[in-house]
Amino acid sequence: LNSVKKRMKQFLHREGGNAERAANRFVRYWQKRHQLFGTDKFCLPMTLEGALRDDAVALECGGFKILPKPDASGRPIMLGAPHCHTRVGYDTESMLRAIWYVFELVADEENARKGVVLLADWTSATIWDYDAVMDQFMFEIEREYLPWSFAGIHAIGLPLIIVQILKPAVCAVMGKETRAKLIVHQTEGDLLLKDLEIYGIPKVSIPVEIGGCCHHSHHEWLQMRRRVESNV
């Protein structure tokens, strides 16, 4: 009962204290979860060996991950890496479930109030790595179903020509509220680090591959998740 109350508080915070909207979001959440995971798995624990038991390959890709260090306000930072979506050994539905899992992990009462930061790293990606289905899904579940919202979305490493091609498509699948939080950074190196720091993302929270000091291993993170979940 306490866990249900705690969960409902997250949805209430997400909807600014409006009980009716929070209840509607909670219902939509479970409807979407049933659609995505199916009757046999949607009520299983949201763990690697539970609801995600058939999605190991998609999870190993590391297309979305949670970085070890938060931003200056304590908000978790997600790293989106389009070039990691190999599309080998898994189907689109499996990747969507993997995204849902990562997004679920930051769902708590504090993040429902503060929000979550997304770093979209295009430094090693090309226009062919863009996946409209995954983008639409990511913004849809944040907008309509999950009990938190993006506090900021920072796209980095995008050449101007790709920005001109992709930005209209990306903005089309974002809600108005989310579009207002999108910042496309055209700088690199130390100038990029200074830009991100202005938005409360210090160098210690930025991955080393982007020029920061944050070392992270997606494989080790998954191993840590398995240890944590096995003790619950």
Side-chain angles (χ1 to χ4, degrees):
L1 183 58
N2 286 336
S3 62
V4 173
K5 288 181 178 179
K6 187 176 180 181
R7 189 66 160 160
M8 284 304 301
K9 276 187 176 182
Q10 297 171 14
F11 285 85
L12 194 61
H13 281 300
R14 173 64 177 86
E15 294 294 348
N18 187 302
E20 182 178 359
R21 291 205 306 262
N24 289 336
R25 178 176 286 269
F26 188 66
V27 171
R28 293 198 305 271
Y29 163 87
W30 279 105
Q31 290 172 336
K32 187 65 176 181
R33 184 160 158 169
H34 180 267
Q35 177 191 346
L36 189 60
F37 289 89
T39 303
D40 59 332
K41 292 189 295 184
F42 85 106
C43 277
L44 291 177
M46 193 54 56
T47 62
L48 298 174
E49 302 300 326
L52 279 294
R53 65 193 182 200
D54 301 319
D55 302 303
V57 177
L59 283 159
E60 287 285 353
C61 288
F64 282 93
K65 59 201 84 177
I66 302 169
L67 294 176
K69 295 183 181 296
D71 76 351
S73 298
R75 292 180 287 241
I77 301 174
M78 281 186 188
L79 179 67
H83 66 281
C84 291
H85 296 297
T86 63
R87 301 176 178 84
V88 177
Y90 61 87
D91 58 19
T92 299
E93 288 296 312
S94 184
M95 179 52 71
L96 299 185
R97 290 191 292 270
I99 293 172
W100 182 281
Y101 169 75
V102 175
F103 280 33
E104 279 267 26
L105 290 178
V106 296
D108 63 25
E109 192 174 338
E110 184 175 4
N111 294 337
R113 291 194 300 265
K114 289 184 174 182
V116 176
V117 175
L118 173 64
L119 280 181
D121 175 20
W122 280 82
T123 53
S124 299
T126 70
I127 193 169
W128 307 113
D129 293 310
Y130 176 70
D131 191 309
V133 173
M134 281 190 282
D135 246 27
Q136 182 172 357
F137 175 79
M138 173 181 69
F139 293 120
E140 178 192 16
I141 62 174
E142 179 262 352
R143 183 178 66 249
E144 299 290 340
Y145 306 112
L146 294 176
W148 56 263
S149 62
F150 287 121
I153 303 168
H154 301 267
I156 61 175
L158 273 167
L160 183 58
I161 183 65
I162 297 183
V163 173
Q164 292 171 340
I165 294 171
L166 290 186
K167 191 171 182 180
V170 173
C171 288
V173 298
M174 290 179 170
K176 181 179 179 181
E177 180 183 338
T178 306
R179 283 198 299 272
K181 300 171 184 176
L182 173 63
I183 300 111
V184 179
H185 297 271
Q186 291 293 302
T187 53
E188 57 184 25
D190 289 341
L191 288 177
L192 173 62
L193 297 179
K194 289 179 180 178
D195 283 351
L196 291 173
E197 191 166 16
I198 290 172
Y199 290 96
I201 308 174
K203 187 176 181 179
V204 294
S205 301
I206 299 170
V208 291
E209 60 266 31
I210 303 175
C213 302
C214 181
H215 293 269
H216 65 98
S217 163
H218 185 64
H219 179 69
E220 291 178 4
W221 179 77
L222 285 174
Q223 288 182 322
M224 179 273 293
R225 289 305 312 165
R226 288 191 174 91
R227 289 194 300 270
V228 170
E229 292 168 3
S230 67
N231 293 324
V232 174

